[in-house]
Amino acid sequence: MITTTQSQAHTAIPESVETLLDWKLSNSDEAFDSEEFLADFAMHAQEANALFDQAVADFKRE
Amino acid sequence: MSETAKDTEADLRVRARCRETMLVRAFHLFTDPWKDEERGQCTLNQQLLRIVSEAYFKDLERKKDFHGIRYADAHKRAGYMMKWIMRFRPIQLVREDCCVRALLANEHFALTVALRFIRLSPSKLSADLYKNLIYSLRYRHIDANAWALSCFLLQKSHG
């Protein structure tokens, strides 16, 4: 059963939804298609490949 | 279709082409440390890569539109990129007797790109964690938002 109080609470929902949808946690304007990105990526790739070798060695031991 | 919708779609295509170019170059950097024999076992299919890039932007645009976000954060970009690389697997094998590096090239590439998106150096992760991430990419149906959360947590715990 919905009481008068609950019913009044329901009328406030659109405002809450508006607040939720208004979260702006996601803004970032870093460009991922730049030369800087690729220069960093080259270093990441070296490290990732070395780590992959260790992970694969672990696979082989099982 | 309205003019605005057409503009948005054209803009998405342009951005997708830029990302596709970046991914091609990233792939060459990614396989550069490999032995010649390993590198010869797989190839990057650019038709599939184009689909990856376009699907990524369309998918992310839908999310941004719903939430009224101007730019997606690095974790979402990483999660959505992981999803679409794994969905279309643009790195294709060209032989029958491939090494593990080639067999898991899509997983490894998706993870390497994602880690760069969140600016997390792979050397900060343990081999055990790396193996688990590769395993999850290969065998688990994890959606883009869950990968985005995983990337956020990885950065918070290891960044």
Side-chain angles (χ1 to χ4, degrees):
Chain A
M1 182 188 293
I2 298 176
T3 64
T4 309
T5 315
Q6 283 172 319
S7 179
Q8 282 166 345
H10 276 283
T11 61
I13 284 177
E15 211 173 297
S16 308
V17 169
E18 185 71 24
T19 308
L20 279 173
L21 292 178
D22 202 30
W23 277 352
K24 297 294 183 196
L25 297 176
S26 302
N27 284 335
S28 160
D29 60 356
E30 186 195 359
F32 285 165
D33 304 309
S34 64
E35 291 300 322
E36 185 205 346
F37 178 92
L38 285 165
D40 279 0
F41 184 82
M43 203 166 64
H44 273 243
Q46 292 272 2
E47 292 178 10
N49 276 299
L51 197 53
F52 184 84
D53 286 338
Q54 290 177 44
V56 168
D58 202 18
F59 268 126
K60 285 175 182 168
R61 275 203 296 274
E62 286 168 7
Chain B
M1 188 185 289
S2 71
E3 286 302 314
T4 313
K6 275 184 194 167
D7 286 349
T8 306
E9 196 166 326
D11 180 50
L12 281 183
R13 281 238 162 83
V14 170
R15 284 150 67 198
R17 287 295 166 90
C18 287
R19 181 57 48 86
E20 180 191 326
T21 306
M22 184 280 281
L23 287 171
V24 170
R25 293 177 65 189
F27 173 75
H28 292 304
L29 292 168
F30 172 70
T31 54
D32 193 51
W34 293 18
K35 294 174 191 155
D36 288 344
E37 187 193 331
E38 294 171 332
R39 212 178 295 122
Q41 294 177 3
C42 55
T43 183
L44 184 67
N45 183 302
Q46 204 157 343
Q47 184 179 6
L48 291 173
L49 192 67
R50 181 158 299 176
I51 299 171
V52 167
S53 302
E54 291 193 357
Y56 162 84
F57 278 105
K58 282 180 189 166
D59 199 13
L60 200 56
E61 196 60 31
R62 222 165 25 197
K63 173 102 179 165
K64 285 160 59 183
D65 185 50
F66 180 80
H67 288 290
I69 297 166
R70 185 167 179 208
Y71 299 114
D73 63 25
H75 315 105
K76 278 194 199 65
R77 298 184 195 192
Y80 278 67
M81 186 51 74
M82 288 165 103
K83 169 189 169 180
W84 287 109
I85 290 175
M86 292 320 302
R87 194 65 61 86
F88 285 103
R89 309 182 68 78
I91 304 172
Q92 301 280 299
L93 302 176
V94 295
R95 280 171 39 178
E96 296 288 344
D97 55 340
C98 293
C99 63
V100 180
R101 203 189 281 284
L103 287 171
L104 294 172
N106 285 290
E107 290 78 3
H108 191 193
F109 184 61
L111 183 54
T112 308
V113 171
L115 291 176
R116 173 56 190 87
F117 274 24
I118 60 170
R119 291 180 170 275
L120 177 58
S121 169
S123 63
K124 291 191 174 171
L125 306 182
S126 68
D128 190 44
L129 176 56
Y130 204 77
K131 180 182 155 189
N132 271 278
L133 290 166
I134 296 277
Y135 180 91
S136 300
L137 281 160
R138 182 67 191 87
Y139 291 110
R140 299 282 175 256
H141 295 285
I142 298 174
D143 82 352
N145 293 310
W147 277 123
L149 176 61
S150 303
C151 287
F152 178 79
L153 295 173
L154 273 174
Q155 196 193 40
K156 288 292 169 196
S157 58
H158 293 80

